[in-house]
Amino acid sequence: MSDATPNFTLVTSCADQIGLVAAVSSFIAERGGCLVESANHTDVHQGWFFMRNVVNADAMSCSIEAFREDFDSLAQRYGMQWYLRPGGEKQRVVIMASHASHCLADILYRWQADELQCDIPCVISNHENLRSMVEWHGIPFHHVPVDPDDKPAAFAAVEDILERHGADCVVLARYMQIIPPSLCETYVGRLINIHHSFLPSFIGANPYQKAFDRGVKLIGATCHYVTEDLDQGPIIEQDVVRVTHSSNKDELVRLGRDVESSVLSRGLRYHLEDRVLVRGNKTVVFNA
Amino acid sequence: MSDATPNFTLVTSCADQIGLVAAVSSFIAERGGCLVESANHTDVHQGWFFMRNVVNADAMSCSIEAFREDFDSLAQRYGMQWYLRPGGEKQRVVIMASHASHCLADILYRWQADELQCDIPCVISNHENLRSMVEWHGIPFHHVPVDPDDKPAAFAAVEDILERHGADCVVLARYMQIIPPSLCETYVGRLINIHHSFLPSFIGANPYQKAFDRGVKLIGATCHYVTEDLDQGPIIEQDVVRVTHSSNKDELVRLGRDVESSVLSRGLRYHLEDRVLVRGNKTVVFNA
Amino acid sequence: MSDATPNFTLVTSCADQIGLVAAVSSFIAERGGCLVESANHTDVHQGWFFMRNVVNADAMSCSIEAFREDFDSLAQRYGMQWYLRPGGEKQRVVIMASHASHCLADILYRWQADELQCDIPCVISNHENLRSMVEWHGIPFHHVPVDPDDKPAAFAAVEDILERHGADCVVLARYMQIIPPSLCETYVGRLINIHHSFLPSFIGANPYQKAFDRGVKLIGATCHYVTEDLDQGPIIEQDVVRVTHSSNKDELVRLGRDVESSVLSRGLRYHLEDRVLVRGNKTVVFNA
Amino acid sequence: MSDATPNFTLVTSCADQIGLVAAVSSFIAERGGCLVESANHTDVHQGWFFMRNVVNADAMSCSIEAFREDFDSLAQRYGMQWYLRPGGEKQRVVIMASHASHCLADILYRWQADELQCDIPCVISNHENLRSMVEWHGIPFHHVPVDPDDKPAAFAAVEDILERHGADCVVLARYMQIIPPSLCETYVGRLINIHHSFLPSFIGANPYQKAFDRGVKLIGATCHYVTEDLDQGPIIEQDVVRVTHSSNKDELVRLGRDVESSVLSRGLRYHLEDRVLVRGNKTVVFNA
């Protein structure tokens, strides 16, 4: 993690075969690129290779555009999926919240403190109560109420706002509404949720009540990409906190808020730094 | 946790009402008993009160027998369930194991190192492979194979061994066989299992395979009392360990072994020190 | 942790002797007080007894004033130090910050979310940069620059502000200035600091640089009461986070911010809920 | 972590420069080697590059001997330090213990369970009490008492035993004697100690007493390479466990034993799997 610029991040994946690390790292070295971080992984069961390189381009002999063009040939040869993100580039992250403020507040704080490499073009909520907090951060706030009898209208409005703001990524910061399949589809791999349990425990509504009733000794939270299957998408990050017999349900909720916030912000950071690669229903997270 | 003797532990519980701490602690103080540890809890939802006292009886004005007799009157007045265990008394713990050695080895080591206040009259296993380890500790080893076509015969033999050895407590140290209801009944609240997942995640067989397939970022283990409902009994203790995309199933199993061992030994220690009180399907664990 | 009112918290400590739990709990029960939480501890080495009771006074036969008066007699009999805090009472907490915002932001968020039972009459800082954040929360902000050549003047101003706002408790949220002995004295047991290391590791300035240079695999933070001896006061709470060889110093600082914030907020909550009792240079923390 | 054989591990490090990952991975790919694991790191401050590759040689076009020979030319070109360890090769680890058994028992258990890829040619102790446990594992036990008035004689005997058994690595499993400089020198980077505190806290003797006196809320253990400077060598692994005001010194010692055992065994496993690279007083640990 160097401060040197200009850097760029190159993320690739493809069917496993001999020589992939060599091919990619040689390609970079031949053009004078210097590896700031370089990580790779082979998923033996899926037969799939993943690689992430952060490259310092100070001494590079070609432009990033030329690099891209050439790399595409290499990628075609190996059947690689890939993308390159210039170091200064910020993804546009729209946050959707409901009534609860903790995850949203945590993200906004970290954004303002420059911990999260992104722009936040707006926040969408089905309630009004968080407007002032959002606007104090200089971020537009859109109130889109969700009429239980006409959810499609609400989500059409949401989709419209996302489009207008050019959302690269959508974060459900305890949004508490089920996202329609079409929206899941549009933002596949870019729609991040925080579930307030240690999945797959306590899928669905009211996980803290269920945890209290079951008498577990740890509660947790799960950050995952949203798919059409509720609470079943690829897991990015999880964590837990210890509870005891003396923790009533309100106490679980209070302790849970901290885990939810930190797990979501960590997961979002990994996503924004291009550390998360998805294959099937699993993630590779290069967060060393 | 004092070394002073003679100590005894007094455990009580009853329907919640005003004056319970006062009644019990006054009863002890009036007889010159000195509180070494004293913890209590009220479960508001179940309307139930729990208390555990470790008493130093050095200066006590009456015998433990007289104390017991008098306390019974008090207990009847308040409708208390209670028991008193003299400090030196060791419960007789029979351990049941299968092929895997890690939980058994951990318990035997701690027993030998005087970390676990108990006698281990014997170990029962459906395999022969752990005999030498058990016998080196000076503990009898009973091999009771489980014929899939005649499980009742095996469990009759097990029950007989438990009875002959006067088992106060039975520990399933990765025993891997389903315990018949009658045995669950006989040893209710004294039959301890370690489940190799963070319950209620991955109930049933092959939890590590399921965890690997789901792509979770933490795996865990759960120590619980066994009831007729598989993996549903009151939870005593749980813990987790972090895993990554690079952990294959064998790696999960390896990492899991450490969590299983430590969670089971901790749960067993809490049980042996009379720190665990059960009500409904939940436990109070006075482990401060 | 019940929501029932009116509650009050009674905290006592004295030289250890037989019958203390009985005396206090009987006193409460005789007046119809119902124990919501009750914890006690004896420090054998210091020969000192500590007790904290949260009492539900719904059915109490006397006023809190009468309770206080009567309890004073009991306390004198046993040589007890004690205080009683009515459930609704909020301590006045003045926060002192410097340039870094994370601990302050975390406390303000929790205060606004009603997680911290206190009033915050003002924030004092030697820099201007956090004014807007503080004022958005509706809290007065006092800028008191610290001239290195005339620190006494600055601290006279600080002391004056604390007095005018009737501070019950002062929190150094990464204030980064050494507090003069007289101020330590005035607020002994009420002046809380967060040190950005796992004390006693890396006492003094620049702990993250020291941690980086030493190559530790965990970094931490320590919440403690301030005494005249720098970084030596009674520890309230500590925690750590894992780091690796790939974490440079900036990364340590970033990871450390989260630990600092959560450890300070937890320590402050314990203090505000009267869970922390100090004796010598050690604390008892009834946080079960 | 694949089970495929034959594998080998190639560990390299050198002054940082462009093209190192490319050079090493191309070298391997050109010979048909398949990367099972590949990790690298650049220490910007020390200007040093580290790389570890686990290579599956099933489809390799040359022998390991030829690979070694060729690689030496490459290594000379880049000024690399390097070594190659064939997959089946087991290092010879001599364990030195004193009176306490927990770390030794844990290592022996893991060794027997095939968790640790090594041979244990013997155990050396200055006490007799662990002989039976060691010999039950089929391992020779050498009793070398340390006469305080003639330590050189004892360590001459130790050195002789180490030599005769061809020790590749020496583990101080709570050995509790200061190792003479000459022995530190001979086994530099191969002499592993467990210190019973979270270094740099509580350097020297009696760390648990010091921790108890200071009132810390976490205790820990540190696995490090031994150098002439007591408790100052490069840290391999650390961990902590939570304690409370109710933990007396004996309780700290008991809780500490678990952390010591697991931290030492983890550190040793990293060492044996060639995951630990030392530079200056710091380690790179490729343990993803």
Side-chain angles (χ1 to χ4, degrees):
Chain A
M1 270 152 250
S2 152
D3 293 339
T5 54
N7 280 1
F8 62 87
T9 302
L10 175 69
V11 175
T12 60
S13 74
C14 63
D16 192 29
Q17 53 203 287
I18 287 181
L20 291 166
V21 172
V24 175
S25 55
S26 297
F27 183 96
I28 296 167
E30 284 159 10
R31 280 151 189 82
C34 173
L35 296 180
V36 175
E37 288 183 72
S38 176
N40 62 82
H41 171 67
T42 300
D43 181 324
V44 175
H45 289 257
Q46 302 195 69
W48 207 254
F49 170 82
F50 308 83
M51 191 176 192
R52 173 183 183 268
N53 292 288
V54 179
V55 179
N56 179 320
D58 277 341
M60 227 164 70
S61 56
C62 68
S63 69
I64 285 192
E65 291 67 40
F67 186 100
R68 272 189 211 267
E69 216 164 291
D70 289 2
F71 194 81
D72 201 47
S73 310
L74 182 82
Q76 282 180 32
R77 196 152 68 251
Y78 287 100
M80 277 177 188
Q81 301 163 4
W82 69 283
Y83 66 90
L84 180 159
R85 189 184 309 279
E89 189 181 297
K90 289 184 174 180
Q91 295 187 55
R92 297 172 65 77
V93 178
V94 172
I95 306 170
M96 298 181 67
S98 185
H99 197 269
S101 63
H102 55 289
C103 286
L104 177 61
D106 193 63
I107 291 173
L108 294 180
Y109 174 76
R110 290 177 197 274
W111 168 78
Q112 196 176 42
D114 269 332
E115 277 190 29
L116 295 172
Q117 173 92 352
C118 65
D119 288 324
I120 301 182
C122 71
V123 169
I124 302 173
S125 176
N126 53 340
H127 292 282
E128 269 287 359
N129 64 305
L130 302 176
R131 177 181 293 277
S132 157
M133 185 176 80
V134 171
E135 292 183 346
W136 179 78
H137 286 85
I139 295 172
F141 178 90
H142 296 286
H143 179 215
V144 182
V146 178
D147 177 349
D149 295 329
D150 191 6
K151 293 195 173 187
F155 284 102
V158 164
E159 201 149 4
D160 182 59
I161 294 169
L162 294 177
E163 245 172 68
R164 275 192 290 125
H165 286 93
D168 297 305
C169 169
V170 181
V171 173
L172 306 180
R174 298 296 313 276
Y175 179 59
M176 307 299 282
Q177 300 282 331
I178 293 172
I179 302 299
S182 67
L183 207 56
C184 294
E185 183 86 5
T186 306
Y187 291 93
V188 65
R190 305 182 289 149
L191 178 51
I192 295 173
N193 185 43
I194 182 73
H195 185 76
H196 41 321
S197 87
F198 180 70
L199 289 174
S201 288
F202 310 128
I203 285 174
N206 270 325
Y208 290 120
Q209 185 63 53
K210 290 172 185 161
F212 178 76
D213 293 342
R214 183 62 186 92
V216 293
K217 301 299 185 187
L218 298 165
I219 57 168
T222 303
C223 177
H224 64 98
Y225 290 114
V226 178
T227 60
E228 288 187 39
D229 298 314
L230 193 64
D231 302 337
Q232 301 286 351
I235 294 172
I236 304 170
E237 174 65 337
Q238 302 187 290
D239 213 341
V240 294
V241 65
R242 192 159 282 274
V243 300
T244 75
H245 58 264
S246 73
S247 314
N248 63 18
K249 199 208 135 191
D250 288 350
E251 179 88 349
L252 299 191
V253 169
R254 182 180 67 74
L255 289 166
R257 282 200 294 261
D258 285 2
V259 192
E260 294 166 29
S261 301
S262 61
V263 167
L264 176 56
S265 286
R266 245 184 287 153
L268 176 57
R269 188 167 60 78
Y270 296 157
H271 177 87
L272 294 174
E273 296 178 355
D274 299 296
R275 298 182 181 277
V276 190
L277 287 78
V278 179
R279 179 77 185 166
N281 204 42
K282 299 174 79 168
T283 62
V284 169
V285 182
F286 290 124
N287 64 338
Chain B
M1 273 151 250
S2 152
D3 293 339
T5 54
N7 281 359
F8 63 86
T9 302
L10 176 68
V11 175
T12 60
S13 74
C14 63
D16 192 30
Q17 52 203 288
I18 287 181
L20 291 166
V21 172
V24 175
S25 56
S26 296
F27 183 95
I28 295 167
E30 284 159 10
R31 280 152 189 80
C34 173
L35 296 180
V36 175
E37 288 183 72
S38 176
N40 63 81
H41 172 65
T42 300
D43 181 324
V44 175
H45 289 256
Q46 302 195 70
W48 206 255
F49 170 83
F50 307 84
M51 190 175 193
R52 174 184 183 268
N53 292 287
V54 179
V55 179
N56 179 320
D58 277 341
M60 228 165 68
S61 56
C62 68
S63 69
I64 286 192
E65 292 66 40
F67 185 101
R68 273 190 212 268
E69 216 165 289
D70 289 2
F71 194 81
D72 201 49
S73 310
L74 183 83
Q76 282 180 32
R77 196 153 68 249
Y78 286 101
M80 277 177 188
Q81 302 164 2
W82 70 284
Y83 66 92
L84 180 159
R85 189 184 309 278
E89 188 180 299
K90 289 184 174 181
Q91 296 187 54
R92 296 172 67 77
V93 178
V94 172
I95 306 171
M96 299 181 68
S98 185
H99 197 270
S101 63
H102 54 289
C103 286
L104 177 61
D106 193 64
I107 291 172
L108 294 180
Y109 174 76
R110 290 177 197 273
W111 168 77
Q112 197 175 42
D114 269 333
E115 277 190 27
L116 294 173
Q117 173 92 351
C118 65
D119 288 324
I120 302 183
C122 72
V123 169
I124 302 173
S125 176
N126 54 339
H127 293 282
E128 269 288 359
N129 64 305
L130 302 176
R131 177 182 294 277
S132 156
M133 185 175 82
V134 170
E135 292 182 347
W136 179 78
H137 286 85
I139 296 172
F141 178 88
H142 296 287
H143 179 214
V144 182
V146 179
D147 177 349
D149 295 329
D150 191 6
K151 293 196 174 187
F155 283 103
V158 164
E159 201 149 1
D160 182 58
I161 294 169
L162 294 177
E163 244 172 68
R164 275 192 290 124
H165 286 93
D168 296 305
C169 169
V170 182
V171 173
L172 307 179
R174 299 296 314 278
Y175 179 59
M176 307 300 281
Q177 299 282 332
I178 292 173
I179 302 299
S182 67
L183 208 56
C184 295
E185 182 86 5
T186 306
Y187 291 92
V188 65
R190 307 182 289 148
L191 178 50
I192 295 174
N193 185 44
I194 181 73
H195 186 76
H196 41 320
S197 87
F198 180 69
L199 289 175
S201 288
F202 311 128
I203 285 174
N206 270 326
Y208 290 121
Q209 185 63 52
K210 289 172 185 162
F212 178 76
D213 293 342
R214 183 61 187 93
V216 292
K217 301 300 184 188
L218 298 165
I219 57 167
T222 303
C223 176
H224 64 98
Y225 290 114
V226 178
T227 60
E228 289 188 39
D229 298 314
L230 194 64
D231 302 339
Q232 300 287 351
I235 294 171
I236 304 170
E237 174 64 337
Q238 302 187 289
D239 213 342
V240 293
V241 65
R242 192 160 282 274
V243 299
T244 75
H245 57 264
S246 74
S247 314
N248 62 18
K249 198 209 135 190
D250 288 349
E251 179 89 349
L252 298 192
V253 169
R254 182 180 67 73
L255 290 166
R257 281 200 295 260
D258 285 2
V259 192
E260 294 165 29
S261 302
S262 61
V263 167
L264 176 56
S265 288
R266 244 184 288 153
L268 176 57
R269 188 167 60 77
Y270 296 157
H271 176 86
L272 293 174
E273 296 179 354
D274 300 295
R275 298 182 180 277
V276 190
L277 288 78
V278 179
R279 179 78 185 166
N281 204 42
K282 300 174 78 168
T283 62
V284 169
V285 182
F286 289 124
N287 64 337
Chain C
M1 275 152 247
S2 153
D3 293 339
T5 54
N7 281 358
F8 63 87
T9 302
L10 176 68
V11 175
T12 59
S13 74
C14 61
D16 192 29
Q17 53 203 287
I18 287 182
L20 292 166
V21 173
V24 174
S25 55
S26 297
F27 183 95
I28 296 167
E30 283 159 11
R31 280 151 189 82
C34 173
L35 296 180
V36 176
E37 288 182 72
S38 176
N40 62 80
H41 171 66
T42 300
D43 181 323
V44 174
H45 289 257
Q46 302 195 68
W48 207 253
F49 170 82
F50 307 84
M51 190 176 195
R52 174 184 182 267
N53 292 287
V54 179
V55 179
N56 178 320
D58 277 340
M60 228 166 67
S61 56
C62 69
S63 68
I64 285 192
E65 291 66 40
F67 185 101
R68 273 189 210 268
E69 215 164 292
D70 288 2
F71 194 81
D72 201 48
S73 310
L74 183 81
Q76 283 180 29
R77 196 152 66 251
Y78 287 100
M80 279 179 187
Q81 301 164 2
W82 71 282
Y83 66 92
L84 180 158
R85 190 185 308 279
E89 188 180 299
K90 290 183 173 181
Q91 295 186 53
R92 298 172 66 78
V93 178
V94 172
I95 307 171
M96 298 181 69
S98 183
H99 197 269
S101 62
H102 54 288
C103 286
L104 177 62
D106 193 64
I107 291 172
L108 294 180
Y109 174 76
R110 291 177 197 272
W111 168 77
Q112 196 176 45
D114 270 333
E115 276 189 28
L116 294 173
Q117 176 92 351
C118 65
D119 288 323
I120 301 181
C122 71
V123 169
I124 301 173
S125 176
N126 54 338
H127 292 281
E128 268 288 358
N129 65 305
L130 301 176
R131 176 182 294 277
S132 159
M133 185 176 82
V134 171
E135 292 182 345
W136 178 79
H137 286 86
I139 295 172
F141 179 90
H142 296 287
H143 179 213
V144 182
V146 178
D147 178 348
D149 295 331
D150 190 6
K151 292 195 175 189
F155 283 103
V158 164
E159 200 149 5
D160 181 58
I161 294 169
L162 293 177
E163 243 172 70
R164 275 192 290 124
H165 286 92
D168 296 305
C169 169
V170 181
V171 173
L172 307 179
R174 300 295 315 277
Y175 179 59
M176 308 299 281
Q177 299 282 331
I178 292 173
I179 302 299
S182 67
L183 207 55
C184 295
E185 181 88 3
T186 307
Y187 291 92
V188 65
R190 306 182 289 147
L191 178 51
I192 296 173
N193 185 44
I194 182 73
H195 185 78
H196 41 321
S197 88
F198 179 70
L199 288 175
S201 289
F202 310 129
I203 286 175
N206 272 325
Y208 290 120
Q209 185 63 51
K210 290 172 186 162
F212 178 77
D213 293 341
R214 181 64 186 90
V216 291
K217 300 301 185 186
L218 299 164
I219 56 168
T222 303
C223 176
H224 65 98
Y225 291 113
V226 178
T227 60
E228 288 188 40
D229 298 315
L230 193 65
D231 301 338
Q232 301 286 353
I235 294 172
I236 304 171
E237 173 65 337
Q238 301 186 291
D239 213 342
V240 294
V241 65
R242 192 161 282 275
V243 299
T244 75
H245 57 264
S246 74
S247 313
N248 61 19
K249 198 208 136 189
D250 287 350
E251 180 88 349
L252 298 192
V253 169
R254 183 180 65 73
L255 290 165
R257 282 199 295 259
D258 286 3
V259 192
E260 294 166 28
S261 301
S262 60
V263 166
L264 176 57
S265 287
R266 243 184 288 152
L268 176 56
R269 189 168 59 75
Y270 296 156
H271 177 86
L272 294 174
E273 295 178 355
D274 300 298
R275 297 181 180 279
V276 190
L277 288 77
V278 179
R279 178 81 185 164
N281 203 41
K282 300 175 78 168
T283 62
V284 169
V285 182
F286 290 124
N287 64 337
Chain D
M1 275 152 246
S2 153
D3 294 338
T5 55
N7 281 357
F8 63 86
T9 301
L10 177 68
V11 175
T12 59
S13 73
C14 62
D16 192 31
Q17 54 203 288
I18 287 182
L20 292 166
V21 172
V24 175
S25 56
S26 296
F27 183 94
I28 295 167
E30 283 158 10
R31 280 150 190 82
C34 173
L35 296 179
V36 175
E37 289 182 72
S38 176
N40 62 81
H41 171 66
T42 300
D43 181 323
V44 175
H45 289 257
Q46 301 195 69
W48 207 254
F49 170 82
F50 307 84
M51 190 175 196
R52 173 184 182 267
N53 292 287
V54 180
V55 179
N56 179 318
D58 277 340
M60 229 165 67
S61 56
C62 69
S63 68
I64 286 192
E65 292 66 39
F67 186 100
R68 274 188 209 267
E69 216 164 289
D70 289 3
F71 194 81
D72 200 49
S73 310
L74 183 82
Q76 283 180 31
R77 196 153 68 252
Y78 287 101
M80 278 178 188
Q81 301 163 3
W82 70 282
Y83 66 92
L84 180 158
R85 189 185 308 278
E89 188 180 298
K90 290 183 172 180
Q91 295 186 54
R92 297 172 67 78
V93 178
V94 172
I95 307 171
M96 298 180 69
S98 184
H99 197 270
S101 63
H102 55 288
C103 286
L104 177 62
D106 193 63
I107 292 172
L108 293 180
Y109 175 76
R110 291 176 198 274
W111 168 77
Q112 196 176 45
D114 270 333
E115 276 190 27
L116 294 173
Q117 174 92 353
C118 65
D119 289 323
I120 301 182
C122 71
V123 169
I124 301 172
S125 177
N126 53 340
H127 292 281
E128 268 288 0
N129 64 306
L130 302 176
R131 177 183 294 276
S132 159
M133 185 175 82
V134 171
E135 292 183 346
W136 179 79
H137 286 85
I139 296 172
F141 179 90
H142 296 287
H143 179 212
V144 182
V146 178
D147 177 348
D149 295 330
D150 190 7
K151 293 194 175 189
F155 283 103
V158 164
E159 202 148 3
D160 181 58
I161 294 169
L162 294 177
E163 242 172 70
R164 276 192 290 125
H165 286 92
D168 296 305
C169 169
V170 181
V171 173
L172 307 179
R174 299 295 316 277
Y175 179 59
M176 308 299 282
Q177 298 283 332
I178 292 173
I179 303 298
S182 67
L183 207 56
C184 295
E185 182 87 4
T186 306
Y187 291 93
V188 66
R190 307 182 288 147
L191 178 51
I192 296 173
N193 185 45
I194 182 72
H195 185 77
H196 42 319
S197 87
F198 180 70
L199 288 174
S201 289
F202 311 129
I203 285 175
N206 272 324
Y208 291 120
Q209 185 63 51
K210 290 173 186 162
F212 178 76
D213 293 341
R214 181 65 186 89
V216 291
K217 300 302 185 186
L218 299 164
I219 57 168
T222 302
C223 176
H224 64 99
Y225 290 114
V226 178
T227 60
E228 288 188 41
D229 298 315
L230 193 66
D231 302 337
Q232 301 286 353
I235 293 172
I236 304 171
E237 174 65 337
Q238 300 186 289
D239 213 342
V240 294
V241 65
R242 192 161 282 275
V243 299
T244 75
H245 57 265
S246 73
S247 314
N248 61 18
K249 197 209 138 190
D250 288 349
E251 180 88 349
L252 298 192
V253 169
R254 183 181 65 73
L255 290 165
R257 282 199 295 259
D258 285 3
V259 192
E260 293 165 29
S261 301
S262 60
V263 166
L264 176 57
S265 287
R266 243 184 288 152
L268 176 57
R269 188 168 59 78
Y270 296 157
H271 177 85
L272 293 175
E273 296 178 354
D274 301 297
R275 298 181 179 279
V276 190
L277 288 77
V278 180
R279 179 80 186 164
N281 204 41
K282 300 174 78 169
T283 62
V284 169
V285 183
F286 290 124
N287 64 337

